């Protein structure tokens, strides 16, 4: 086994800050000490106007990710760390996927995946991701919650949590107040938690989201399963923006990513902060190496 992994760095949308982030990361001493970075993106001769949404940029981001995933599946690289893509550009390109997670699940044949945001302060897993808020109650089934909670419990030992303590955030304010503020928490979320507990998983909930994330940050829980995108991402970005790492759970390859978008407003100006990509690369390297001490959590 080589001492350092080869990690693919995909530039994401070439009209965004991704190429700048990758170029900075490729020269970063911490990255070079931890891995051999390999750049995936359009050829140097291809030019994309910074901050301009386009079909061509969407296709370029897609092509780079497909090549990186294929190389990871074939063992030519050991992990993939991704800069952000633009979902509108993918839609312009006619691509049916909403983002990295959906496409990587398709490319690798993964049957069950979930998006986790990982930081020293807080770990959050999303039960639903890029869907309209109005669709969340319909998609938040007992089966989906059991799947995500179970996947989280199986995957967290890789991060140094051998017996993870999980919590499920309530969908409604105050976790429904026993049916007074919505019935989903009692009729869907609670039975899912009970099924997971019966299977031996250490999980509590549904718990009121307005206090749950504080409890997790104080060490009561190792990870929180959030019902929808903003419920989980607002607290993680408040706690660790620029340091959190997006990790896809359930893939047969290691994939990490930044915790932000393409930042078209500052693209091409040379001022983008590459800190989140550095953390993503370093976490991918640590996942490849495995936790040195199964009783000690990995630290970004």
């Amino acid at each position: 086994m080589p001492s350092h992994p080869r990690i693919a760095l995909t530039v994401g949308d070439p009209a965004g800050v991704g190429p700048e982030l990758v170029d900075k990361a490729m020269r970063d001493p911490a990255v070079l000490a931890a891995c051999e970075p390999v750049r995936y993106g359009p050829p140097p001769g291809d030019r994309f106007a910074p901050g301009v949404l386009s079909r061509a940029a969407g296709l370029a981001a897609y092509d780079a990710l497909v090549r990186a995933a294929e190389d990871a599946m074939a063992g030519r690289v050991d992990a993939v760390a991704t800069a952000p893509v633009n979902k509108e550009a993918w839609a312009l390109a006619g691509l049916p996927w909403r983002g990295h997670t959906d496409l990587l699940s398709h490319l690798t044949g993964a049957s069950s995946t979930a998006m986790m945001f990982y930081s020293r302060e807080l770990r959050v897993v999303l039960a639903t991701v890029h869907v309209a808020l109005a669709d969340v109650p319909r998609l938040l089934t007992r089966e989906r919650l059991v799947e995500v909670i179970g996947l989280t419990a199986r995957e967290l030992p890789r991060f140094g949590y051998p017996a993870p303590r999980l919590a499920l955030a309530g969908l409604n304010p105050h976790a429904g107040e026993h049916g007074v503020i919505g019935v989903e928490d009692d009729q869907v979320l609670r039975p899912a938690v009970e099924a997971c507990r019966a299977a031996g998983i250490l999980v509590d909930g549904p718990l009121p989201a307005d206090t749950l994330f504080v409890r997790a940050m104080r060490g009561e829980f190792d990870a929180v399963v959030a019902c929808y995108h903003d419920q989980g991402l607002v607290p993680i970005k408040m706690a660790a923006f620029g340091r959190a790492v997006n990790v896809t759970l359930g893939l047969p390859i290691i994939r990490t990513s930044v915790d932000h978008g393409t930042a078209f407003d500052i693209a091409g100006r040379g001022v983008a902060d590459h800190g989140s990509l550095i953390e993503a690369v370093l976490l991918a390297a640590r996942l490849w190496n495995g936790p040195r001490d199964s009783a000690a959590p990995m630290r970004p």
Side-chain angles (χ1 to χ4, degrees), residues 36-54:
E36 178 189 344
V38 184
R39 189 183 190 277
Y40 284 73
D46 291 1
R47 293 288 180 263
F48 298 87
V52 177
L53 187 71
S54 72

Side-chain angles (χ1 to χ4, degrees), residues 20-288:
E20 176 187 342
L21 301 181
V22 169
D23 290 345
K24 290 178 177 178
M26 297 278 291
R27 301 190 300 268
D28 188 89
V31 167
L32 295 175
C35 72
E36 178 189 344
V38 184
R39 189 183 190 277
Y40 284 73
D46 291 1
R47 293 288 180 263
F48 298 87
V52 177
L53 187 71
S54 72
R55 176 181 182 274
L59 285 174
Y62 167 81
D63 290 341
L65 184 62
V66 169
R67 288 190 289 109
E70 289 176 346
D71 284 352
M73 290 292 286
R76 291 185 286 270
V77 295
D78 300 301
V80 179
T82 61
V85 297
N86 188 291
K87 296 170 184 58
E88 288 185 70
W90 277 24
L92 286 175
L95 302 174
W97 300 281
R98 297 287 184 93
H100 282 112
T101 303
D102 294 347
L103 177 55
L104 286 169
S105 299
H106 168 74
L107 293 172
T108 63
S111 59
S112 176
T113 59
M115 182 183 294
M116 179 172 78
F117 283 81
Y118 180 92
S119 72
R120 179 188 302 273
E121 297 87 349
L122 182 65
R123 277 73 50 202
V124 176
V125 180
L126 304 181
T128 65
V129 188
H130 298 123
V131 299
L133 190 57
D135 294 333
V136 169
R138 174 178 58 84
L139 298 172
L140 206 64
T141 63
R142 177 182 179 276
E143 293 74 20
R144 173 58 180 167
L145 289 167
V146 168
E147 176 186 5
V148 172
I149 294 169
L151 177 60
T152 304
R154 292 192 300 274
E155 290 276 272
L156 273 183
R158 298 172 56 212
F159 296 81
Y161 298 93
R165 301 161 300 159
L166 309 179
L168 174 63
L171 174 64
N172 295 296
H174 301 237
E177 290 275 17
H178 301 290
V180 175
I181 314 175
V183 299
E184 294 89 352
D185 292 278
D186 281 347
Q187 294 183 0
V188 180
L189 276 67
R190 200 173 309 281
V193 168
E194 291 170 352
C196 290
R197 289 176 68 89
I201 297 172
L202 301 176
V203 56
D204 288 334
L207 300 173
D210 59 353
T211 55
L212 173 55
F213 294 97
V214 174
R215 294 171 64 183
M217 288 182 65
R218 291 176 177 172
E220 193 171 341
F221 303 105
D222 298 317
V224 174
V225 176
C227 291
Y228 54 92
H229 186 277
D230 285 13
Q231 183 186 56
L233 265 62
V234 168
I236 189 71
K237 291 190 177 185
M238 287 288 291
F241 187 72
R243 301 187 309 278
V245 178
N246 178 353
V247 186
T248 307
L249 304 181
L251 294 176
I253 62 174
I254 296 170
R255 180 261 170 162
T256 62
S257 190
V258 297
D259 66 349
H260 57 78
T262 50
F264 274 5
D265 57 325
I266 61 170
R269 291 168 49 189
V271 297
D273 183 352
H274 62 297
S276 184
L277 183 58
I278 297 299
E279 298 294 351
V281 174
L282 297 182
L283 180 59
R286 287 193 289 271
L287 288 171
W288 178 80

